[in-house]
Amino acid sequence: MVTGAKPVPLRVAYDAAHGGRWTSLHGGGREWLWRGPGHGRNEVRPDDAFVDAGGLEECLPTVRGRPDHGEVWSRPWRTAGPGTVVIERPTFTLTRRITDADGVVVADYRLAADPGHRFVWAAHALLDVSPAARLDAPTGTPTRLHPEAAALLPPGTWPTGSPWLTGPWPAPAGLTLGSLGPDDGTALGAVLLDCPRVQVIDGVDRLTLELECADQPRATALWRNLGGWPADTPYRSIGVEPMLGTAFDLADAGPADAAVVPPAGEVIWQLTISAHRIH
């Protein structure tokens, strides 16, 4: 922790009826969650194309691939108690409980499924940060670039047919990723492997995201869209996404790249989000 940084209590709001989406994460006069340009989010039906409304979307059992951003963002969740919501699908049941009573947001998850069930989960948090913001993660963390980064690299750099290219944080393959702006017309995704804790630094504010889960691959995904996507009407969006699994697309995930339900039939994990401000 930076000397002189004091805790900033956070409060959270979510919309159970529309995919359990987190709609607000605020504290100290600041809203951390970005609001997107996507219209019609409340009219989405299962298997519709993804609507980029911002906030934090729950992506399960994949992030990219089919269905895009997973199965649960486009379906209503059932309320099951204070701060607790549930979604039931043919192959799994996901329960989430969020608390923020002490100013630190804690989200507890439980996924029940048949042993051997494979999945990727991401807390797809799109953040409202300034062009001066940066992402702080351990130097040297192996980081997977995804194919949209190939256009930013020298010709011939990208391995033919590979779903990703791995290099050390903060500059895998020479691309400096820690800066979250200013806008430069690029958009790329990356996954920081075995990296369950990161911090977003924006001026005097610090937002820390930490994921705890035993015996499953943990990572943090970065979606750094600096006005480079979509091609027809580009805008800025910054995603910092705690993950179980290390591949955006479950279809690309090798044996070590996805979370796997153990013989007990459930996986339990916890996401903690806290904020500090330097005085």
Side-chain angles (χ1 to χ4, degrees):
M1 187 61 59
V2 176
T3 301
K6 295 184 178 181
V8 175
L10 292 174
R11 293 291 178 264
V12 67
Y14 63 86
D15 185 351
H18 300 99
R21 172 173 164 260
W22 302 34
T23 57
S24 179
L25 179 68
H26 66 278
R30 173 171 189 155
E31 173 59 58
W32 280 98
L33 294 182
W34 171 83
R35 297 179 185 273
H39 300 291
R41 178 67 176 79
N42 291 355
E43 287 73 48
V44 165
R45 296 294 180 266
D47 301 321
D48 282 357
F50 182 66
V51 175
D52 198 2
L56 186 156
E57 303 278 9
E58 302 282 357
C59 296
L60 179 77
T62 191
V63 182
R64 299 184 182 180
R66 295 186 178 181
D68 188 20
H69 288 72
E71 297 181 17
V72 302
W73 73 271
S74 60
R75 290 174 163 84
W77 295 41
R78 171 173 56 85
T79 299
T84 303
V85 289
V86 179
I87 183 164
E88 296 158 336
R89 302 294 302 131
T91 58
F92 64 83
T93 297
L94 179 66
T95 303
R96 183 191 74 197
R97 179 174 182 264
I98 298 178
T99 60
D100 61 12
D102 62 354
V104 174
V105 174
V106 179
D108 289 293
Y109 296 82
R110 176 183 179 272
L111 183 136
D114 290 339
H117 179 79
R118 303 174 78 245
F119 67 94
V120 171
W121 164 84
H124 186 276
L126 294 177
L127 302 181
D128 187 0
V129 294
S130 76
R134 59 187 178 89
L135 180 64
D136 186 47
T139 299
T141 296
T143 302
R144 285 177 173 171
L145 297 171
H146 283 255
E148 61 272 13
L152 307 177
L153 301 174
T157 301
W158 195 268
T160 302
S162 177
W164 46 66
L165 173 64
T166 304
W169 181 267
L175 295 179
T176 302
L177 299 188
S179 170
L180 302 180
D183 294 358
D184 60 7
T186 65
L188 59 82
V191 177
L192 287 74
L193 309 183
D194 193 25
C195 183
R197 182 182 187 276
V198 297
Q199 190 171 79
V200 177
I201 300 171
D202 192 10
V204 297
D205 289 322
R206 308 286 188 268
L207 187 74
T208 303
L209 304 95
E210 185 165 6
L211 178 63
E212 296 182 17
C213 184
D215 305 320
Q216 301 291 346
R218 297 175 297 169
T220 299
L222 170 64
W223 170 242
R224 196 183 70 171
N225 175 23
L226 303 179
W229 184 90
D232 53 347
T233 54
Y235 54 86
R236 172 187 175 87
S237 57
I238 303 296
V240 177
E241 309 169 25
M243 288 182 67
L244 292 181
T246 56
F248 279 133
D249 191 340
L250 183 60
D252 293 332
D257 296 321
V260 181
V261 176
E266 67 177 26
V267 178
I268 296 172
W269 66 95
Q270 184 178 84
L271 172 63
T272 302
I273 306 178
S274 60
H276 292 78
R277 179 168 292 161
I278 297 173
H279 291 270

